[in-house]
Amino acid sequence: MRRCLGASRALSLCLVLLATASAAWAQGFRTYENDEHGFKLKVPKWLEEQPLEPLEEQMLAKWIGRRRAKTEQGTREVELTMLVCRIRTAGLADDKDSAPPSEQELKRRRLNGGTTIQEFLGRRKWVNTKRLRNKQKRPVKTKMGGKFDIFEVSSNRGQALAIRGFTKQDNGEIFGLFALGVPGVDAFAKEIEASAKSLDRFEIAAEANASGGDIDYEGSNLRGVEKRRNVRRDLVAGWQAHDTENFILVTNVKSKKVVDNALADLEIMRKAYVDAFPSDAAMDAVSVVRICDGREDYRRYGAPRGTLGYWNHLDEELVLFNPSKRAKRISRWLSTEGVLYHEAMHQYLHYSNGQAPPASWFNEGFGEVFGGAKVDRRKEEIRSIGKNKFRLAWAKEVQKSKRWPDLGSMLRMTKAEFYSEPGQNYAAGWAFCYFLYQESQKKRGRRDDWAAIPGDYLANLRAAAEAKRKELPDSAPTDWISAFADEIQEQAYEQTFADVDLAELEKAWIAFLKKL
C-alpha cells in the first residue's frame, strides 16, 4: 500500500532540511512512503499521484501537476511529471522450462525488459535517441548514500519533451527519480532536485505485499477475490474501488451519482449482452473498469489519442472518463454512458468468445448499437435502443458521396482494413447491425434467417476458434488464439453467409437506412 504522512509534519521536515531553498520549495512538500517497493521521498504538494497501468513494473510511482512558472517562452502554465523507477540491469528472469508465454506476458516483457535508461525511455516511446547528455557536474548527494548520476535528454518524436533523471546504479539495478516537462523540468529544477535528494529506501516488511486495501473479502460470495485484492492493492491516493457481482470499478470520480449509475449500468448491460450473445464459456473473470474524473486524468493515465474510452484486452481493463467533465464539442453527440455500453460489450465478447475477437463490422457495429441503449435503473433493464444520430448522419453523408462500402466487402474486412476508413466504416457497421437488431425485434414480417445472423456468426466464430485451438500445443495460452483472428473471422464469414443472398440482404438494408 502507498501512504502519505501528514501535511504539517511533511512541511516542517521540508523546512528544516531545506531552509535555504527557493520560494517554490517554501510552498510545501508532502512525504510519500511506498511500503510495497520500500522507498520514500518528498513530493511537491501540487503534484497529484497517478495510477500506473496494469503491466507497468519498472515505474514504481508517478505524479503529475500543472502550474504557472517562468520559462523561456514567458510565464505560462506547464505540466510536470515525476517518476520513481527501478530498472534491473540483468533484465527479467526467463524461466525456459515454463509454459509458453501468453500475449499479455510478452507485452509485459517488452515493456519492462529494458536494462538501461535509454531502453526504459525508448520502450515507453518518450525518446528514440541512444544518447543521454550529462546535465551538471555538481553532484547531488542522496539520502540512500552516495551520489546521483544526473542526465538530461530531449525527445525527438515530434514533441518538445525534456527529461531529467537522477539515478544510482548498484546491486544489479538502476534506481532513481525522473522528471518530464514541456518545459517543466527547467521551470521546477530546484523542486525536482529537492525531491531527488530526499529519495531514500528502506527494507520491505514481509507482510507489505499481502495487503489488498481496506476491504476484507473473507467469507465473501464474490468470485475473483484475488483479482479484486490485487486491484485494491494498487490504488493510489484519491482513487476508490467498488465491487459488483461481475465487475470491480476503479475511479477517482467524487460524484456518488455518477459512480452509482455506472455500477448499475454495467450489470444491466452485461445481462443484455448475455441475452443477445449467450455463451457456454466459463465467464469467471472479474471485469475491471476504470473511470477517470475528467479527460485530463484519462489522458494522464495513458489513453490513446483521439479516444473517448477503450477496452485494453492485454491489460484486461476498460477505461473511460467522467461524463460530467466532457468537452462540449464531444458531449453534443455522444454520452459517456454510450461509450461505456459500447466498450463494455467488447469486454464481454473478449471473455465470452475465449479471447477470439469478432470481425470489426460486428464488434464495432453492435458496440455502436448498444451504445444507443436507454436503461431503466429501477427495473434493471434496457428500456429501448434508439438510433445513433451521429453514425446515422455519417451514413447519410457517405451514401451521398458514393463511398458507401458494398456489404460483401465490409463483412470480410480485416481490422486493419476497417480502421483505414474509420468514419465511414463505423457508420456502415452500425447501420448494418442496427438493421439486424431491428429485424430481430419485429413481430410481423420478420426474416428469421436475417434475424439469426448475429447468433449464427458468433457460433461459427467460436467453433472456428476452438478448431484452431486444437491445432496449437496443449500448453499454448488462451490468448494465442487472437493471432489467428483474420483466419478465424474469414471462416466464420464463409459459414454464416454461405446460404445468404447478399444482394437481397443489401437491398433491404439500404431501403431500411433510407427510412431512418
Side-chain angles (χ1 to χ4, degrees):
M1 292 294 292
R2 287 88 167 153
R3 55 192 172 98
C4 292
L5 304 183
S8 60
R9 178 184 172 190
L11 180 57
S12 64
L13 287 172
C14 294
L15 293 174
V16 170
L17 293 172
L18 294 165
T20 60
S22 66
W25 171 265
Q27 292 185 23
F29 284 55
R30 66 179 180 275
T31 297
Y32 171 89
E33 191 166 330
N34 189 303
D35 295 333
E36 181 182 356
H37 298 293
F39 70 88
K40 59 184 177 181
L41 76 162
K42 301 187 186 304
V43 179
K45 287 182 178 179
W46 58 277
L47 293 179
E48 295 182 2
E49 188 180 5
Q50 305 294 313
L52 302 175
E53 294 182 64
L55 298 182
E56 179 61 67
E57 293 179 0
Q58 291 182 328
M59 196 186 302
L60 307 183
K62 177 171 71 171
W63 301 266
I64 301 178
R66 296 181 69 88
R67 202 176 68 179
R68 293 187 64 79
K70 291 182 179 180
T71 71
E72 293 179 357
Q73 292 77 33
T75 300
R76 48 178 282 196
E77 188 176 70
V78 294
E79 183 172 275
L80 176 69
T81 300
M82 187 178 291
L83 315 169
V84 172
C85 303
R86 179 181 60 209
I87 303 166
R88 292 186 173 89
T89 56
L92 297 175
D94 186 10
D95 185 355
K96 296 181 180 180
D97 296 328
S98 64
S102 65
E103 189 180 4
Q104 184 182 67
E105 173 61 16
L106 289 173
K107 178 185 175 181
R108 185 187 74 86
R109 294 181 187 181
R110 286 194 301 270
L111 181 64
N112 302 292
T115 60
T116 66
I117 293 172
Q118 292 94 326
E119 287 182 323
F120 169 80
L121 298 174
R123 291 182 183 216
R124 285 151 187 81
K125 299 181 180 179
W126 290 332
V127 295
N128 62 1
T129 177
K130 294 184 178 180
R131 300 186 63 183
L132 301 179
R133 182 166 65 87
N134 186 44
K135 173 61 181 175
Q136 59 192 70
K137 295 182 179 180
R138 179 175 59 83
V140 173
K141 294 183 179 180
T142 76
K143 293 283 288 185
M144 300 178 291
K147 302 172 183 176
F148 277 129
D149 179 23
I150 306 172
F151 70 87
E152 76 169 12
V153 62
S154 296
S155 171
N156 55 352
R157 288 185 178 273
Q159 56 179 339
L161 179 62
I163 303 172
R164 186 165 301 159
F166 300 76
T167 62
K168 181 180 178 182
Q169 181 171 341
D170 58 13
N171 299 321
E173 64 182 32
I174 300 169
F175 181 83
L177 181 143
F178 294 74
L180 295 71
V182 192
V185 167
D186 289 327
F188 305 110
K190 291 184 178 179
E191 285 181 288
I192 294 166
E193 185 173 313
S195 289
K197 286 180 178 179
S198 72
L199 185 59
D200 197 6
R201 304 185 78 172
F202 56 84
E203 187 175 346
I204 302 172
E207 67 276 8
N209 289 322
S211 176
D214 298 329
I215 300 296
D216 185 357
Y217 288 101
E218 187 174 354
S220 171
N221 292 324
L222 291 170
R223 68 178 188 278
V225 167
E226 183 178 358
K227 177 68 173 285
R228 296 175 191 270
R229 282 199 177 109
N230 288 339
V231 169
R232 289 180 178 276
R233 181 197 63 199
D234 293 335
L235 290 174
V236 302
W239 290 74
Q240 304 85 36
H242 306 268
D243 293 290
T244 70
E245 179 184 355
N246 295 295
F247 297 88
I248 180 165
L249 173 66
V250 180
T251 185
N252 63 339
V253 172
K254 296 178 177 60
S255 167
K256 185 177 185 300
K257 181 179 179 181
V258 171
V259 173
D260 288 347
N261 286 350
L263 292 169
D265 290 356
L266 284 166
E267 290 293 349
I268 292 170
M269 294 308 298
R270 180 186 167 93
K271 182 179 183 300
Y273 307 142
V274 171
D275 291 343
F277 313 121
S279 172
D280 294 330
M283 298 296 292
D284 55 356
V286 177
S287 297
V288 181
V289 178
R290 180 179 298 273
I291 300 182
C292 304
D293 192 19
R295 202 171 190 191
E296 187 72 358
D297 285 344
Y298 176 75
R299 175 188 66 81
R300 289 174 173 180
Y301 184 65
R305 288 186 179 183
T307 63
L308 304 176
Y310 62 99
W311 158 243
N312 188 326
H313 75 281
L314 291 180
D315 292 347
E316 294 189 279
E317 187 176 64
L318 191 166
V319 186
L320 310 156
F321 60 88
N322 186 347
S324 66
K325 297 188 177 182
R326 170 155 294 180
K328 290 182 179 179
R329 65 183 181 84
I330 298 172
S331 61
R332 68 184 184 195
W333 57 263
L334 187 64
S335 69
T336 290
E337 285 82 2
V339 177
L340 184 150
Y341 305 162
H342 176 124
E343 299 299 335
M345 196 200 78
H346 295 333
Q347 189 176 43
Y348 169 77
L349 288 176
H350 173 79
Y351 294 119
S352 66
N353 288 352
Q355 304 190 35
S360 293
W361 70 265
F362 188 106
N363 216 5
E364 303 300 350
F366 273 108
E368 289 293 86
V369 169
F370 280 96
K374 303 298 181 183
V375 302
D376 186 326
R377 298 186 181 108
R378 183 177 62 83
K379 294 183 178 180
E380 298 182 348
E381 64 183 19
I382 290 180
R383 184 170 66 248
S384 64
I385 292 182
K387 294 178 289 189
N388 185 317
K389 294 181 180 179
F390 176 70
R391 296 303 177 193
L392 178 59
W394 256 98
K396 297 287 189 182
E397 185 62 32
V398 171
Q399 281 186 307
K400 289 179 182 178
S401 63
K402 298 181 180 181
R403 291 185 291 115
W404 192 255
D406 70 90
L407 181 58
S409 297
M410 183 183 72
L411 295 176
R412 302 184 73 166
M413 282 183 183
T414 63
K415 184 176 181 179
E417 291 168 340
F418 191 89
Y419 287 115
S420 66
E421 293 284 351
Q424 71 176 42
N425 290 333
Y426 264 74
W430 164 78
F432 181 62
C433 291
Y434 188 62
F435 165 74
L436 295 178
Y437 170 76
Q438 290 296 336
E439 193 68 26
S440 70
Q441 302 302 300
K442 286 182 180 179
K443 294 182 179 179
R444 289 185 178 181
R446 183 171 81 168
R447 284 284 300 267
D448 289 338
D449 54 339
W450 292 350
I453 285 175
D456 291 345
Y457 176 80
L458 279 186
N460 290 327
L461 180 86
R462 291 163 179 168
E466 286 309 304
K468 172 56 68 174
R469 205 183 301 277
K470 290 177 181 178
E471 298 176 10
L472 301 176
D474 292 340
S475 58
T478 302
D479 65 6
W480 274 22
I481 201 68
S482 62
F484 304 94
D486 290 349
E487 175 185 340
I488 292 168
Q489 291 166 7
E490 178 66 18
Q491 290 180 29
Y493 164 79
E494 293 288 354
Q495 293 168 350
T496 303
F497 294 95
D499 297 324
V500 175
D501 186 334
L502 283 180
E504 181 186 16
L505 177 60
E506 184 168 22
K507 183 178 179 180
W509 168 41
I510 297 301
F512 166 82
L513 187 58
K514 287 180 178 179
K515 295 178 182 179
L516 292 179

